[in-house]
Amino acid sequence: MRAQNACADGDRALAASQWSAANDAYQKCVVENPVSAVYSNMGVALSHMGRMDDAVRSYTTALELDPGNTRIEFNLAVTLLRSGEYAQAADHLKHLQRTGNDSRYDELLAFCYYHLASYPLAARAAERVYAAHPDDAANALILGSTYTRMHLYDKALPLITFALKAAGSAEGHLILAQTLIGLHQYPAAQNELQQIAATQPDFPGLHEAMGEVYVGTERAHDAEAEFALAVKEDPDSFEANYLLGRLKRFDGNFAEANHFYDVADRLHPHSPEIAYERAEIAIKERRFADAIPLLEFVTRAEPDEAQAVLLLAQAYQKTGRHEDAQREGELYNAKRRESHQQREAQDQADAGKAP
């Protein structure tokens, strides 16, 4: 009888949004009535209390007791997502997709894949939602953000612009600014960032993006100041450390540059970008033998990086490896010809589109 009363008390408290009281009642109820529905309701209460780990455990138990319950599995996926457990959330959402057709699964999958940096998968999921619900501003923002990360800036721009018109936010302005930076539209990007700065001057990512605007407009001193602020606010930002190190290298401050590259290396080990930067310093310091393994790694990881091929040819030449230098020099010239042909083809295509 006491367990039955506790269960009823939990249901009443849950209906009244009294989350703590509901959880206390269900904790008593579940001792003698350990059924799926009670664990599921407890998960609802715990998630509203912000106790995500406990909510995940409660939903997991509920699903184990009732494996085919899609509502419980969906709630578990949402709670995992809110806990930052994107891979686990995606696993449950993919399982749900096999059992039914619900656009919410794709929308949340896109969010998970975006945060896992699996941008092609995020785009595929968000594109399915967009095809069915082109007026969904939240999904448009995710899809546009994903396109930005994939450097598909022309596709990203209309989506992010639409999302901002539907529901403007600092995050939306930042993503739009990043897209405009990718399109080299620096004044427009700066305008978006200034709108954020007017109300949220410490918004995460603001200083980093503003630094990129200043790089694009050749204001190196201002860019360095912005990247320094970005590193101060978020010492674990790979991009900010990498970009600040790059500016230090341009100034010839190699010791300071390497300090920031060390941080970036710790955050993203074996990054081709950092290997290339270190190789540039080695070349400047005439340490050609040290530059060779770095550049060999870069050309394997980024075979389209023509400048790395050119530097590798120079390093081979300086260390007496003339045949290797000739091979890389020929490869560099071939890449230049290919790039020139691609630009000509694109110019012709653009001319054909002109009215």
Side-chain angles (χ1 to χ4, degrees):
M1 183 64 68
R2 283 194 299 272
Q4 290 177 353
N5 289 340
C7 293
D9 288 343
D11 292 342
R12 282 192 292 271
L14 193 69
S17 301
Q18 298 171 353
W19 313 120
S20 182
N23 177 57
D24 290 342
Y26 286 134
Q27 294 288 350
K28 297 173 184 175
C29 166
V30 79
V31 173
E32 296 183 27
N33 194 26
V35 298
S36 177
V38 176
Y39 281 106
S40 177
N41 288 346
M42 195 186 306
V44 173
L46 288 164
S47 64
H48 277 91
M49 295 167 66
R51 293 170 55 181
M52 295 304 173
D53 290 344
D54 291 333
V56 165
R57 283 190 285 271
S58 192
Y59 280 131
T60 300
T61 302
L63 192 60
E64 289 170 351
L65 293 168
D66 188 3
N69 193 311
T70 57
R71 181 180 62 83
I72 293 173
E73 187 162 18
F74 180 75
N75 286 342
L76 173 57
V78 171
T79 306
L80 285 165
L81 188 152
R82 291 174 63 193
S83 303
E85 300 293 341
Y86 301 114
Q88 293 182 52
D91 287 341
H92 284 287
L93 290 164
K94 286 185 289 186
H95 179 259
L96 286 165
Q97 279 188 321
R98 293 192 289 271
T99 64
N101 184 20
D102 189 326
S103 62
R104 293 179 303 169
Y105 304 157
D106 272 322
E107 189 160 7
L108 293 180
L109 262 177
F111 190 84
C112 290
Y113 285 139
Y114 179 82
H115 284 277
L116 291 168
S118 299
Y119 300 122
L121 291 175
R124 205 173 306 155
E127 285 166 349
R128 289 193 292 267
V129 179
Y130 184 73
H133 304 285
D135 57 344
D136 185 332
N139 180 70
L141 184 59
I142 285 292
L143 182 54
S145 305
T146 301
Y147 284 152
T148 295
R149 294 293 182 268
M150 296 169 71
H151 308 298
L152 301 174
Y153 301 112
D154 288 324
K155 295 177 73 173
L157 186 57
L159 290 163
I160 298 169
T161 302
F162 161 71
L164 271 178
K165 287 180 179 177
S169 66
E171 182 182 12
H173 284 294
L174 177 61
I175 295 168
L176 180 55
Q178 291 167 339
T179 303
L180 292 166
I181 289 167
L183 291 167
H184 307 298
Q185 297 180 18
Y186 300 113
Q190 186 170 1
N191 179 59
E192 295 298 323
L193 296 172
Q194 286 171 340
Q195 291 185 59
I196 302 172
T199 57
Q200 300 185 57
D202 296 323
F203 189 78
L206 172 62
H207 292 297
E208 185 178 307
M210 191 66 83
E212 292 187 63
V213 167
Y214 288 145
V215 168
T217 52
E218 299 183 357
R219 295 169 58 180
H221 180 74
D222 292 330
E224 189 170 322
E226 291 293 334
F227 290 139
L229 286 172
V231 167
K232 184 177 180 181
E233 290 182 357
D234 182 8
D236 291 334
S237 168
F238 170 83
E239 285 293 328
N241 279 283
Y242 160 62
L243 292 169
L244 185 53
R246 203 158 184 258
L247 287 175
K248 296 292 186 183
R249 174 175 71 79
F250 290 157
D251 287 342
N253 296 327
F254 298 150
E256 288 188 60
N258 275 318
H259 164 74
F260 294 108
Y261 294 154
D262 287 343
V263 177
D265 245 342
R266 174 176 57 79
L267 296 167
H268 286 190
H270 311 300
S271 162
E273 295 93 338
I274 301 303
Y276 178 83
E277 292 297 314
R278 292 193 191 279
E280 282 272 16
I281 291 175
I283 294 286
K284 291 289 186 183
E285 294 179 339
R286 306 188 65 79
R287 293 184 290 106
F288 301 108
D290 293 337
I292 287 174
L294 293 167
L295 292 166
E296 287 175 338
F297 166 69
V298 174
T299 55
R300 286 195 303 270
E302 304 285 350
D304 294 331
E305 184 56 60
Q307 188 62 25
V309 175
L310 177 61
L311 287 181
L312 183 56
Q314 293 173 353
Y316 281 148
Q317 188 69 30
K318 292 293 186 180
T319 53
R321 296 171 59 175
H322 302 300
E323 290 184 5
D324 291 332
Q326 182 177 352
R327 182 192 68 241
E328 295 300 318
E330 291 172 353
L331 179 59
Y332 172 72
N333 289 329
K335 288 182 180 295
R336 284 193 66 190
R337 286 193 298 270
E338 181 183 358
S339 177
H340 179 69
Q341 290 168 357
Q342 289 175 346
R343 283 198 301 272
E344 283 190 334
Q346 185 60 53
D347 289 343
Q348 291 174 2
D350 292 341
K353 293 177 186 176

